[in-house]
Amino acid sequence: MQGRRTDGSGKGVPGLVTTIEAFDDLDLDEDIPVEPGLARRIEITLDEAAAGQRLDRALASALPDLSRVRIQAMLAEGRVTRDGVQIADASAKARAGQHIVIDIPPPVAAIPQPQDIPLTIVFEDDEMLVIDKPAGLVVHPGAGNPDGTLVNALLAYCGDQLSGIGGVRRPGIVHRLDKDTSGLMVVAKTDRAHAALSAQLQSRTLKRIYTAVVWGKPMPPTGRIEGNIGRRPNDRKRMALLPHGGRPAVTHFRTLRSYKTASVVECRLETGRTHQIRVHMAHIGHPLVGDPAYGLKRLPKDAPALAKSLPRQALHATQVTFLHPLTNMEMCYSSPVANDIAELIASLT
């Protein structure tokens, strides 16, 4: 269905965390908004693995939720004590047995401002919208992306009509797509629509189908991938299948076409975890073409130039099906793959 464009006017952890106060979720999943007002205190006793390291490096290794830059900033702000004495020197040598206390101020959620960013709207009524999101557009403001997001565009287009259930940083957002994943998203205008659509997401009656280009030829050509997904202990920006912890995740895949070096697959989600398709397909040995985080380290020599140069993961949200939150009528919308993915597929032999 054609949309219309609106121009609109861990391993080697050098320490033992002994106390964490007023802090809800160490995982900091991207799908969970951080609300303001939760200050936290972290206490850590350094062990032998930390001895001799720079203090900022030792703390960053022990506390993967905090970047080294963030730790350096808190040291400079006087928010860190060592054995009861304030310390500001990030290069100070850590010693085993030192007791470190970090007082982290409550996060402050910036209120997104309307920005005139064009939207491709596939469906709209008084309750909701279906958006065809381009690759490169972040869904909501966050670290490193304070503006220029889909939320900023929606605020400009919808004004105060957007549902507030998602919080001030994510009004109307029922589910997310990664920045570099293109395709269909459902957005709620009213609170009742948001509640109804979120319930469908939880009950798995809001169904999503993706088209992906993956390296190799999956064998068998269809299958079910199941495994808990969570953040890697040593790299909090990347996800992985975890033997313990994480969240249950299930992806069904079906090979549509296979070529010499790559295949086009359809992926249906039972769950919607961060990076789910990318992690699951990489887990079975067929990572997405162009994926900077989970892709192949060494590309096939005979791969087409487009496959070698694609600047983002070849993943497009092709179809979404749901029950209208007011009428309960089944709605189904489709989107052809984005131009760069279409050109990539055309280049395969």
Side-chain angles (χ1 to χ4, degrees):
M1 180 173 180
Q2 294 295 321
R4 63 184 176 86
R5 182 165 296 277
T6 302
D7 291 317
S9 310
K11 183 178 179 181
V13 171
L16 173 66
V17 176
T18 56
T19 305
I20 301 177
E21 299 177 354
F23 188 35
D24 284 345
D25 189 355
L26 268 178
D27 188 47
L28 284 183
D29 193 295
E30 290 178 11
D31 287 331
I32 300 174
V34 177
E35 298 295 343
L38 285 178
R40 52 181 168 138
R41 166 170 287 189
I42 296 178
E43 298 186 25
I44 182 171
T45 300
L46 300 178
D47 64 14
E48 293 293 341
Q53 294 191 47
R54 284 174 54 109
L55 183 60
D56 59 345
R57 185 183 297 276
L59 292 176
S61 297
L63 303 168
D65 296 298
L66 299 176
S67 69
R68 190 172 170 190
V69 171
R70 179 75 171 119
I71 289 170
Q72 290 170 348
M74 287 188 291
L75 283 161
E77 293 167 2
R79 299 184 182 278
V80 181
T81 62
R82 180 176 62 183
D83 294 332
V85 178
Q86 189 178 100
I87 180 169
D89 185 4
S91 64
K93 297 299 181 184
R95 296 194 301 273
Q98 288 179 327
H99 184 68
I100 307 294
V101 177
I102 305 175
D103 286 311
I104 302 177
V108 178
I111 299 176
Q113 299 300 309
Q115 289 180 291
D116 187 11
I117 300 170
L119 294 172
T120 298
I121 300 174
V122 176
F123 169 80
E124 179 181 10
D125 65 8
D126 291 340
E127 297 291 321
M128 59 173 296
L129 306 102
V130 178
I131 302 290
D132 199 339
K133 186 188 87 68
L137 182 64
V138 176
V139 170
H140 59 79
N145 297 286
D147 56 17
T149 71
L150 176 60
V151 162
N152 298 104
L154 288 169
L155 288 170
Y157 179 73
C158 298
D160 58 2
Q161 291 182 321
L162 284 179
S163 161
I165 290 179
V168 351
R169 292 173 61 210
R170 308 201 312 171
I173 301 301
V174 176
H175 64 104
R176 294 173 57 257
L177 290 178
D178 293 338
K179 172 185 175 182
D180 288 325
T181 297
S182 52
L184 298 176
M185 282 186 60
V186 177
V187 175
K189 282 187 176 181
T190 67
D191 287 352
R192 66 183 172 188
H194 203 142
L197 292 166
S198 295
Q200 291 182 49
L201 197 64
Q202 292 297 318
S203 66
R204 302 174 184 176
T205 53
L206 192 158
K207 299 174 183 178
R208 291 161 290 166
I209 299 176
Y210 293 73
T211 298
V213 184
V214 304
W215 291 110
K217 300 178 182 181
M219 292 300 295
T222 63
R224 182 178 188 270
I225 311 169
E226 183 173 6
N228 283 20
I229 290 178
R231 297 193 182 279
R232 296 187 181 189
N234 58 348
D235 184 353
R236 305 296 286 177
K237 293 183 179 181
R238 299 174 70 195
M239 312 300 287
L241 261 66
L242 302 178
H244 306 289
R247 297 180 180 183
V250 177
T251 302
H252 299 267
F253 72 91
R254 177 170 69 97
T255 303
L256 301 178
R257 296 184 295 281
S258 285
Y259 301 90
K260 186 185 299 183
T261 58
S263 299
V264 181
V265 299
E266 174 187 277
C267 296
R268 295 173 179 259
L269 297 182
E270 276 193 27
T271 56
R273 309 306 179 205
T274 301
H275 300 177
Q276 177 173 321
I277 292 172
R278 300 164 64 187
V279 171
H280 272 171
M281 294 308 297
H283 177 71
I284 65 169
H286 299 284
L288 271 61
V289 172
D291 195 327
Y294 310 101
L296 292 179
K297 301 300 182 187
R298 298 180 64 181
L299 303 184
K301 291 182 180 179
D302 54 351
L306 276 175
K308 294 179 179 179
S309 63
L310 193 71
R312 56 113 170 183
Q313 64 267 9
L315 184 62
H316 184 86
T318 309
Q319 187 179 102
V320 62
T321 304
F322 55 91
L323 300 179
H324 190 279
L326 192 59
T327 67
N328 214 37
M329 180 182 297
E330 184 175 86
M331 315 283 283
C332 183
Y333 295 94
S334 298
S335 166
V337 294
N339 290 339
D340 59 345
I341 297 179
E343 291 172 2
L344 168 65
I345 294 173
S347 75
L348 299 174
T349 57

